[in-house]
Amino acid sequence: MDKRKLTALLCMLALLAALPGPGGVEQAGGWTEVAVDGPPLVALTFDDGPRSSTTGPLLDGLALREAPATFFLVGSRIRGNEDLVRRMAAEGHQVGIHTYDHVELKGLTRSGFDLQVGKTRALLTSLLGEGEYWLRPPYGILDEQARSWCGGPLILWSVDPEDWKDEDVDRVVAAVTEHVSDGDIILMHDLFPSSVDAALRVVDALLGKGYCFATVEQLLAQRGVAPEAGASYRRAAKN
Ligand code: NI
């Protein structure tokens, strides 16, 4: 067994074996980090896809490394990429919603919200079956009205390498690996070849440092955070 396979196996065992443990523990004064048994765990997330030329190679690379991730999809980009979406779910990735047209979830009417979120949820349900499809608001922006309508947890992020900015693979890899810690949710975009290269290098680098990868849902569960509808999560703790 090569080292990559061994690492992936150890991560899988750690995910299976660890009971939902402490991590983000709610106390009177807020959320407190406490020691966690097992390897450090992080969630890689990808927004704005799917895009056939980049999402496919990303899925290939994640499969090779046995690293699960979370994809927040733009509904209008699903048509023609249905096989990629089915593949995400079949390969153990979490699939979520990033609105239908990549719009701010702010100032929308109820029908406007339904056209952005409900329509994408219906599309995912028709492709993947009934399930919880968590929401990532574009730009991390939303108002209290949208929060009350979303019907599930809102997933933000704690590490943002701004991979869209200059598509500089070395800089993006460093921006993640130099700032990441246990419980983080990493924001990337599967729209650019440079992001795919950077993401896979991040996976290799962090596996080499003993990190394991999880979907956002697995990460929260492992750290004992119970997701609530309408609450936002930047990392494995409620914000
Ligand atoms: Ni986006």
Side-chain angles (χ1 to χ4, degrees):
M1 184 180 287
D2 66 27
K3 187 163 178 273
R4 186 182 276 171
K5 283 271 177 211
L6 182 62
T7 309
L9 182 64
L10 291 173
C11 285
M12 197 183 298
L13 288 173
L15 273 178
L16 288 173
L19 293 169
V25 175
E26 193 171 20
Q27 296 186 339
W31 286 79
T32 309
E33 297 291 320
V34 296
V36 170
D37 289 335
L41 198 60
V42 290
L44 255 184
T45 66
F46 297 94
D47 287 6
D48 295 4
R51 184 180 191 200
S52 57
S53 62
T54 42
T55 309
L58 175 60
L59 288 171
D60 292 342
L62 292 172
L64 189 65
R65 292 157 177 83
E66 299 187 36
T70 303
F71 291 85
F72 293 101
L73 305 182
V74 170
S76 63
R77 296 185 182 146
I78 291 175
R79 193 171 181 182
N81 289 313
E82 291 87 348
D83 286 350
L84 280 174
V85 178
R86 289 194 196 93
R87 188 179 163 197
M88 288 169 186
E91 295 185 355
H93 303 296
Q94 185 178 353
V95 177
I97 298 166
H98 196 48
T99 74
Y100 194 83
D101 296 307
H102 203 276
V103 297
E104 288 182 12
L105 289 176
K106 191 177 169 188
L108 294 176
T109 60
R110 178 71 218 221
S111 62
F113 180 89
D114 287 342
L115 278 172
Q116 290 299 327
V117 176
K119 187 175 170 185
T120 308
R121 179 171 282 130
L123 205 47
L124 292 176
T125 302
S126 72
L127 276 176
L128 305 177
E130 288 292 335
E132 283 193 34
Y133 298 104
W134 292 1
L135 180 61
R136 168 165 283 161
Y139 319 105
I141 291 172
L142 79 163
D143 59 18
E144 288 310 306
Q145 192 65 264
R147 191 184 287 280
S148 74
W149 289 334
C150 68
L154 294 142
I155 306 304
L156 301 175
W157 56 86
S158 51
V159 176
D160 179 6
E162 299 188 324
D163 56 311
W164 45 268
K165 205 171 182 176
D166 52 16
E167 301 180 41
D168 178 336
V169 175
D170 289 338
R171 186 195 62 73
V172 171
V173 172
V176 177
T177 57
E178 291 171 8
H179 296 104
V180 78
S181 62
D182 178 67
D184 272 329
I185 296 175
I186 302 163
L187 169 65
M188 296 188 78
H189 300 80
D190 52 326
L191 286 185
F192 312 108
S194 57
S195 294
V196 174
D197 292 346
L200 297 176
R201 276 181 49 190
V202 162
V203 173
D204 287 337
L206 294 184
L207 288 175
K209 287 181 175 182
Y211 275 80
C212 290
F213 289 86
T215 66
V216 174
E217 189 174 13
Q218 291 166 338
L219 177 70
L220 296 185
Q222 286 294 322
R223 293 297 177 256
V225 179
E228 296 166 21
S232 313
Y233 300 86
R234 291 183 189 281
R235 59 198 314 281
K238 189 166 72 169
N239 292 278

